[in-house]
Amino acid sequence: MRRESSRVVLLTGRTGSGKTRRIADLFRSRGGETPGRGALVLLPDRGAARELRLQLLHQSTIDGFFDSGITTFEDFAASLLGVGREETAAPEEESLLLLALAPEWPGPLAARASSPRFRGAFLRWASELRALGLGGEEIRALAGALPGPEGRLGLLAEAADRLRRAEEERGLLFREDLPRRAARAIENGSLRFSPPDVLLVDGFHHLTPVRLDLLAAIARRTPEVFLTLPAADPRDPWAGRMIERTHSALMETLAPIEEEIPGGDDPPPPVFLGGADRREEIERIAREILRLAREEEKKPGDALLLFRDVAPYRSVVEDVFDHYRIPFRGRFQTGAASTPPGRSLLDCVRLAREGATRASVDSWLKNRMFDVDPDLADRAVAGWRATPEPRDEEALLVEVAAFDRGFATERVEPLVRFAREMREARGGEAIRALREAWLEWIDPSLRESAFPVRDRPLVGASVVRLVDLLDRLERSFGREARFREAPAAEILERAREEIARARVSYAAGNGAGVRVDDFRHGQNLRAPVVFVAGLEASLCPRPYDPGAFWNEGDRERLNASGQHRVPDRAFHADEERFLFRRACERGTELLYLTAPGFQPGGKACAESLFRQEMRSEWAERAREDLGGTERFASERAIVAARDLFPFLASRADPAERDLKGIALAAALLARSGNEPPDPPRSFLEPVSMSAVRPFRAWLRRRAEWSVTELEDFQACPFRYLAKHVFRLRETEESAEYALPVVSEGEAIHRALEAAVPNDCDVKEILPRCFEEARGAFPERIGHRLAEEELRENLIALLDEDAAFRREHGWMPDAFEFRFGRAEKRPVEIAGGLRIRGRIDRLDRSLGGRVLVVDYKRSGRGGRAELERGLREERNLALPLYVLAAAERTGMRPAGAFLLSVREGRRVGFYDLSLAGEGIVPDPKKARASAALEEEDFAERLRRAAAVAREAAESVRKGSFPVEPADEKVCDSLGCPYGDLCRVVLAAREEEGGEEE
């Protein structure tokens, strides 16, 4: 029980009110700087602990202080339990244990354990269970309360329970589990614990159950406890829910006395910066930092750069800040396999698995595996490349020796010997031999960076991480009976999987420079100038993934039961808003919100919803600078062909195009070169891109053609050019009265995919599908109207679809059927044209026929326009889907249908000769749309393949004719590029033009 004299105080206040300063003052006043005195500060992570130590060190009058007094829950629990950092299990150890236990799993799960993706998903689930403090009995009880389909959750709970018992038998410890172990040891008296005189807890907006258990165990034995919690902001009800949940948990567990700290700064009006791409975005931030230093005497150390996800920006930040010579410091993470030491280790694994070949030796020499004379290596490689591949390793040695005997003896013979020895290795012995060979042969410039150094932190950190990884793999393979005598081929394949998954965390930069961090770790940092960057929809808010094992429904039912509180979609949305608001409130003087216009591949970036809300909130007080960089302020700045794409990207927003910009863009689309382009003599001149270097580079990447883009070219080559080559943004529908097209389409697909195979009631499914598709997007009044309209149409469509399938004997066989090289389902048509795409649904008949079903929202003209498109063969996608389905399934095609969602009707074409078999409608008895005879059916597929081939060849030639040359036709298609369309401009020119 808590001491009678104990006092628990909950300090609340707005951001900037000084809660962390109060904690620091309490630490100093209660003897935190004196070793042996009991002041303990618990913080969310090691980064926050390090920052507070540095802050106190600068203010301290002595050389140092008791560092162990400022730590995290996990590190403090480890110190209480006597657990060293190297004693906690790494993810790869748990993954291999999971694989070793697979034969003991319930039948349906055993086969899936060999998949690294499945193991990764399962281990994420197990980690969440540990953070929630759920043990084996509780897991089984949970499974009974939440039965999954066919007992799925029960089987998974049994597997998780076996994993937990195996971990305990082997003495494996996990960081997220340590607070729970320490709390139990304190409560049952098995741990000798000297409580601190004062406990200080700062920086938490959410406490997991295991952290809360340890906090309660310490607080019951500590005279004074001070905790901080941000005050709920009435302007932000979403974040308020997050704070309220944490506040309720603290009040129930500790019953603290509340003390409000007054004050706190309102965030300044934000400045909205934009760039054509991510590099341009960071360049604008760098130039703004230099301007502030020059004009307002701000130091780089006054600036804080925060991201929701810093990983996509890591290399860009390092390159740009290095280019502008701006000091910075930050914590980054990357894949170990992407670093030079990681690539060399994977080469070593590949050689050990496949043996020495000319290609493997070539790869080693080119991947910094040896400290070897580059000219010598180049001569040997160039020499043997011109000869036939040797059949075995002995022939390889003879071949290399023929070019250079010394090179073969010193460099190639050790590789061949290593490959031979690895064939006889078993279990952990194979990993030990791999580590020794790798460390012996690795380039000394990499090997000597065994610890992080100032100029090469990433290399040093990756070497340390990989050595630790190999040590852990060796222990794991030696410990498990299943792997002790396993051949090297199996051991190395598992090692390759774990190396590919391993991540490297490292610190870059040093000194008093710009601090770079993410929202979560940077929420306790203060700075006069804050840049909240990377505010694109794909990164902020971070996408919600409920996981493969606890789906959203299970989480909601569990929380509704009141037994546990697990993070669900609502929790995720609240936390994302809270973190964003905290990031924006870090700045006391200047706040910048930045975002790119385009992703690295050229696809337009949607702006983060949070950034949109801030713009609405600040309205006229905010300042916007959303154009491209100064380099592309005018057409005279375009001095090289590579500048063409960023220039168009900076002017791609349809709402900001004026007539002068339209004419200029039309000229750029017509011709470009190394000089500013001249306007075309006529807007109807064909566009030729064959001589433009960026276009040729873009073309070289076109190994496959998506069905959608081929259909776009057939509809209008200019539209294809604007959409797929220049990646110009489409005009977006107003979000006030309807969901974005992509979100609405996602809701429709989810509803149909759930309802069709299970005969579910769409009235129950559709609201949830709309909620998931909308995500964090705020609900508008028009969304409910759109949902009500769609519900009735979907009911009619599902009734029609079910009746059609019952009458003609079709059953759904696959949903979201993707094909293409990336899906390992390549499709070639028309003499080698490779295509890719996604078929909404494939139906199968008992006779082995396949039917393509494509869901269509229906655009202008509705069902009549869809029928006309099929009749005039303007719809290219359906026949291409039929060809792809026939090739990938091996079944004979019966036809294809569009299900018109807006009208609840079916439109399509099919093989009329099958009407006698009853699997397609008989046009004499029922109205059938675009029914074709068998010969015509096959001919139609051949014509579609020929049109697709001609479209691809036209694009390869860089030829984009102006078709159709009729403004009315363009308008009927609802083209989003009408303000740039040269057909429209030509029509205006004929009417006498318009005044600028």
Side-chain angles (χ1 to χ4, degrees):
M1 298 297 293
R2 190 189 307 153
R3 296 177 180 177
E4 293 183 1
S5 59
S6 63
R7 175 169 170 260
V8 182
V9 180
L10 178 62
L11 304 173
T12 61
R14 295 179 58 191
T15 299
S17 60
K19 297 186 296 297
T20 299
R21 287 196 300 271
R22 179 77 175 274
I23 292 295
D25 292 341
L26 286 167
F27 182 84
R28 283 195 299 267
S29 65
R30 304 306 170 90
E33 296 181 4
T34 305
R37 295 294 298 275
L40 173 64
V41 183
L42 296 179
L43 296 163
D45 54 68
R46 291 169 178 166
R50 182 172 59 251
E51 290 292 337
L52 183 58
R53 290 191 197 114
L54 291 174
Q55 176 185 338
L56 290 171
L57 182 60
H58 292 319
Q59 301 171 0
S60 177
T61 57
I62 60 176
D63 292 337
F65 51 86
F66 198 35
D67 280 1
S68 63
I70 303 176
T71 184
T72 66
F73 275 98
E74 288 73 21
D75 287 343
F76 182 66
S79 66
L80 290 178
L81 297 169
V83 176
R85 186 175 300 185
E86 68 283 351
E87 296 179 65
T88 56
E92 49 270 12
E93 292 179 275
E94 192 177 18
S95 175
L96 291 177
L97 175 58
L98 199 63
L99 192 64
L101 295 174
E104 306 173 11
W105 277 18
L109 300 181
R112 301 186 65 186
S114 61
S115 166
R117 180 177 297 181
F118 177 83
R119 294 203 305 276
F122 186 90
L123 294 180
R124 284 193 297 272
W125 182 59
S127 176
E128 185 173 345
L129 294 178
R130 285 194 293 268
L132 293 169
L134 296 177
E137 293 297 329
E138 294 164 308
I139 296 171
R140 282 192 291 272
L142 171 66
L146 302 172
E150 300 179 0
R152 171 187 58 86
L153 193 58
L155 295 177
L156 292 168
E158 181 181 348
D161 192 25
R162 293 186 183 184
L163 176 63
R164 163 77 72 167
R165 291 198 301 269
E167 291 167 353
E168 293 174 349
E169 291 172 1
R170 291 158 177 77
L172 292 181
L173 300 174
F174 297 87
R175 271 183 57 80
E176 62 267 32
D177 199 31
L178 295 180
R180 182 183 66 118
R181 290 175 176 270
R184 288 180 177 177
I186 292 173
E187 295 292 356
N188 62 30
S190 62
L191 179 66
R192 297 185 61 182
F193 170 60
S194 299
D197 295 330
V198 59
L199 172 63
L200 309 168
V201 181
D202 181 49
F204 291 92
H205 62 278
H206 169 63
L207 284 163
T208 61
V210 294
R211 285 177 169 177
L212 194 59
D213 287 347
L214 180 57
L215 172 60
I218 301 173
R220 293 189 184 102
R221 294 159 177 81
T222 302
E224 287 188 296
V225 180
F226 291 87
L227 309 101
T228 67
L229 188 67
D233 189 340
R235 298 171 303 176
D236 190 2
W238 300 279
R241 290 198 297 264
M242 167 70 60
I243 300 302
E244 186 59 36
R245 283 193 289 262
T246 306
H247 181 272
S248 298
L250 291 173
M251 294 299 293
E252 181 181 351
T253 306
L254 302 176
I257 302 169
E258 291 192 68
E259 179 181 332
E260 184 176 355
I261 300 179
D265 301 320
D266 287 325
V271 178
F272 293 89
L273 291 182
D277 53 23
R278 290 172 181 171
R279 176 172 292 276
E280 201 167 288
E281 175 192 2
I282 301 304
E283 283 183 348
R284 303 203 73 192
I285 291 174
R287 288 200 299 275
E288 183 65 14
I289 291 172
L290 294 177
R291 187 193 69 79
L292 293 173
R294 183 176 61 254
E295 300 178 7
E296 302 186 24
E297 298 183 351
K298 299 289 186 186
K299 302 184 295 294
D302 293 334
L304 175 64
L305 178 56
L306 294 178
F307 299 89
R308 186 62 188 98
D309 186 358
V310 71
Y313 282 86
R314 177 186 62 81
S315 60
V316 175
V317 169
E318 291 178 319
D319 292 346
V320 170
F321 277 66
D322 180 65
H323 173 75
Y324 285 94
R325 299 183 179 179
I326 299 175
F328 74 97
R329 52 193 171 102
R331 295 192 302 275
F332 300 113
Q333 193 177 69
T334 189
S338 66
T339 66
R343 289 194 297 270
S344 67
L345 179 57
L346 286 179
D347 271 342
C348 201
V349 171
R350 189 178 303 112
L351 175 69
R353 292 178 59 208
E354 302 172 2
T357 64
R358 184 194 302 163
S360 65
V361 175
D362 187 353
S363 177
W364 275 42
L365 295 173
K366 296 300 182 183
N367 208 5
R368 304 190 66 189
M369 278 304 297
F370 290 112
D371 180 23
V372 59
D373 180 359
D375 293 336
L376 175 64
D378 287 342
R379 286 197 302 273
V381 171
W384 72 52
R385 277 180 176 172
T387 63
E389 177 74 24
R391 287 173 296 179
D392 53 33
E393 293 164 347
E394 292 296 340
L396 174 65
L397 285 174
V398 172
E399 181 180 327
V400 177
F403 293 103
D404 192 301
R405 164 57 64 182
F407 180 76
T409 303
E410 296 178 14
R411 300 302 179 191
V412 181
E413 283 186 2
L415 306 185
V416 174
R417 188 165 54 251
F418 167 69
R420 291 172 179 166
E421 293 172 354
M422 289 298 292
R423 295 184 191 126
E424 305 301 323
R426 293 287 185 274
E429 176 190 345
I431 301 297
R432 182 170 61 254
L434 174 69
R435 181 184 64 251
E436 292 173 354
W438 173 60
L439 289 176
E440 178 184 354
W441 293 330
I442 194 173
D443 186 329
S445 66
L446 303 182
R447 185 176 64 245
E448 290 168 3
S449 299
F451 298 95
V453 291
R454 178 175 179 179
D455 57 338
R456 308 192 72 193
L458 175 56
V459 168
S462 61
V463 171
V464 173
R465 173 72 175 97
L466 291 168
V467 169
D468 177 70
L469 170 61
L470 293 174
D471 289 342
R472 292 176 183 272
L473 291 180
E474 181 184 350
R475 288 199 302 270
S476 297
F477 285 124
R479 181 175 56 224
E480 300 300 331
R482 177 185 172 186
F483 297 124
R484 287 193 197 118
E485 297 301 321
E490 179 183 353
I491 296 298
L492 292 172
E493 172 59 21
R494 300 308 177 191
R496 184 196 62 78
E497 293 173 354
E498 301 306 327
I499 294 169
R501 293 173 52 201
R503 307 290 294 174
V504 176
S505 298
Y506 68 99
N510 56 81
V514 179
R515 285 174 293 181
V516 183
D517 219 318
D518 60 51
F519 287 6
R520 184 178 296 276
H521 295 144
Q523 63 175 299
N524 294 318
L525 303 178
R526 289 183 61 80
V529 183
V530 172
F531 296 89
V532 181
L535 294 178
E536 50 184 289
S538 62
L539 300 179
C540 180
R542 182 168 290 179
Y544 173 68
D545 180 12
F549 305 128
W550 277 9
N551 58 36
E552 183 66 9
D554 290 340
R555 292 170 185 268
E556 290 175 353
R557 289 194 294 273
L558 182 63
N559 289 335
S561 70
Q563 299 175 0
H564 303 283
R565 180 72 206 185
V566 301
D568 54 11
R569 185 180 299 278
F571 177 94
H572 172 80
D574 292 347
E575 184 175 53
E576 289 297 303
R577 288 181 182 277
F578 172 82
L579 292 174
F580 172 75
R581 290 284 175 166
R582 291 274 287 181
C584 292
E585 293 170 354
R586 295 298 86 202
T588 57
E589 299 177 24
L590 292 170
L591 171 65
Y592 295 84
L593 304 180
T594 76
F598 288 77
Q599 294 178 359
K603 184 178 180 180
C605 286
E607 183 184 23
S608 169
L609 165 67
F610 297 157
R611 190 169 184 247
Q612 296 174 16
E613 291 176 352
M614 288 290 282
R615 184 181 288 108
S616 299
E617 182 178 318
W618 287 98
E620 299 300 327
R621 295 184 62 191
R623 179 165 66 87
E624 293 190 348
D625 188 1
L626 302 178
T629 64
E630 290 80 354
R631 297 200 312 268
F632 307 117
S634 71
E635 67 272 19
R636 297 184 183 278
I638 301 178
V639 296
R642 61 182 172 82
D643 294 334
L644 176 61
F645 285 85
F647 178 85
L648 288 176
S650 69
R651 293 173 173 247
D653 188 350
E656 297 181 359
R657 298 180 191 143
D658 56 18
L659 186 60
K660 182 178 180 180
I662 290 171
L664 173 62
L668 289 169
L669 291 174
R671 54 186 301 187
S672 63
N674 293 332
E675 297 296 332
D678 298 324
R681 291 188 300 274
S682 168
F683 284 118
L684 295 182
E685 284 184 0
V687 176
S688 177
M689 299 290 293
S690 58
V692 180
R693 283 181 296 174
F695 175 76
R696 294 201 303 271
W698 173 87
L699 194 60
R700 282 195 294 271
R701 300 193 296 269
R702 311 303 291 175
E704 282 185 322
W705 303 81
S706 78
V707 171
T708 302
E709 67 173 310
L710 292 172
E711 189 173 55
D712 282 345
F713 186 91
Q714 184 199 28
C716 175
F718 177 83
R719 177 176 177 172
Y720 178 94
L721 182 66
K723 179 179 180 180
H724 296 282
V725 180
F726 287 105
R727 302 285 188 178
L728 300 184
R729 294 179 186 168
E730 297 185 12
T731 306
E732 296 182 357
E733 297 180 9
S734 171
E736 184 67 31
Y737 301 105
L739 275 176
V741 173
V742 174
S743 298
E744 183 177 294
E746 184 179 352
I748 292 171
H749 278 251
R750 288 184 178 185
L752 290 173
E753 187 172 342
V756 170
N758 303 314
D759 291 329
C760 299
D761 187 352
V762 75
K763 293 180 181 179
E764 298 179 1
I765 296 173
L766 191 60
R768 186 178 74 245
C769 295
F770 260 79
E771 183 73 21
E772 294 175 353
R774 188 174 67 244
F777 197 92
E779 184 177 345
R780 310 290 190 189
I781 186 171
H783 295 177
R784 290 299 177 191
L785 298 176
E787 181 181 336
E788 291 174 4
E789 179 186 359
L790 270 180
R791 182 187 294 114
E792 299 306 317
N793 293 332
L794 282 175
I795 291 173
L797 181 64
L798 287 170
D799 289 343
E800 189 278 339
D801 186 56
F804 180 89
R805 286 186 282 111
R806 283 195 302 270
E807 180 180 355
H808 301 292
W810 292 98
M811 64 186 68
D813 190 58
F815 292 88
E816 299 284 340
F817 183 84
R818 299 175 185 270
F819 58 91
R821 291 197 308 172
E823 309 298 329
K824 297 183 179 179
R825 294 171 178 164
V827 173
E828 289 189 2
I829 62 171
L833 178 67
R834 296 177 179 177
I835 61 174
R836 68 176 186 275
R838 184 196 66 188
I839 303 173
D840 291 337
R841 198 176 93 204
L842 292 180
D843 286 356
R844 175 171 52 86
S845 71
L846 295 176
R849 291 274 188 167
V850 64
L851 185 72
V852 170
V853 179
D854 194 33
Y855 304 141
K856 205 72 171 178
R857 292 176 66 248
S858 299
R860 300 188 181 189
R863 183 172 182 269
E865 180 60 30
L866 294 178
E867 286 187 349
R868 189 179 303 111
L870 285 172
R871 192 163 50 248
E872 297 174 1
E873 299 192 22
R874 285 190 280 110
N875 184 306
L876 187 62
L878 277 187
L880 295 186
Y881 286 155
V882 171
L883 290 171
E887 180 172 338
R888 294 313 312 172
T889 64
M891 293 185 283
R892 295 178 63 191
F897 285 99
L898 294 172
L899 298 189
S900 177
V901 175
R902 288 289 185 189
E903 300 184 26
R905 300 293 295 276
R906 175 185 300 263
V907 179
F909 66 95
Y910 52 87
D911 186 347
L912 188 59
S913 67
L914 300 176
E917 301 177 20
I919 62 175
V920 297
D922 187 342
K924 298 178 181 178
K925 299 179 180 179
R927 183 175 180 272
S929 175
L932 302 176
E933 297 287 352
E934 181 177 12
E935 181 178 352
D936 295 334
F937 179 78
E939 179 60 28
R940 178 167 192 158
L941 299 183
R942 284 194 293 271
R943 285 198 303 270
V947 170
R949 183 181 64 249
E950 292 172 3
E953 290 176 352
S954 182
V955 174
R956 289 194 183 104
K957 294 175 182 177
S959 175
F960 298 92
V962 183
E963 299 170 351
D966 186 341
E967 185 180 3
K968 295 180 180 179
V969 174
C970 297
D971 183 64
S972 69
L973 293 175
C975 179
Y977 306 105
D979 55 351
L980 283 179
C981 179
R982 290 160 53 243
V983 172
V984 176
L985 292 173
R988 292 178 182 175
E989 193 176 62
E990 291 177 359
E991 295 173 1
E994 295 184 11
E995 293 184 3
E996 297 185 12

